[in-house]
Amino acid sequence: MDQRRLSGAGRADDRHLPARFGHEIDVFHERSITVLVTADVKIEALNNVSSQHVLDEGEGQSSVAQWREEHEAFWNSISSDRGGIRIDDDTKVVLEHFTVER
């Protein structure tokens, strides 16, 4: 399985980026373990996220505008205890392309 995801707004810091060809273990519901292998990592301005990334991410959005609206709502919801985060076209985001190994 080949997928993409967005790691987070304002997190474009090389010290925290997934390593290319690095492995990450995700545990879902304390039962299912998935091993992800990072194929590519890019830092892009939010305004440059492509419709291909939106489709590859596989979250069901049909347009970049819908994807952005839903992601901004999520980022603001998780940062509200810190006064929110300022998001605009130039906000740097981490775009991760990965495969599921197991």
Side-chain angles (χ1 to χ4, degrees), residues 31-56:
R31 290 178 263 146
S32 175
I33 296 177
T34 303
V35 177
L36 307 177
V37 180
T38 300
D40 192 25
V41 178
K42 293 181 189 176
I43 299 172
E44 292 282 349
L46 187 56
N47 197 42
N48 292 334
V49 174
S50 70
S51 57
Q52 189 62 55
H53 180 86
V54 170
L55 293 173
D56 289 348

Side-chain angles (χ1 to χ4, degrees), residues 23-35:
H23 290 70
E24 177 181 326
I25 298 173
D26 283 351
V27 179
F28 299 99
H29 307 292
E30 300 179 8
R31 290 178 263 146
S32 175
I33 296 177
T34 303
V35 177

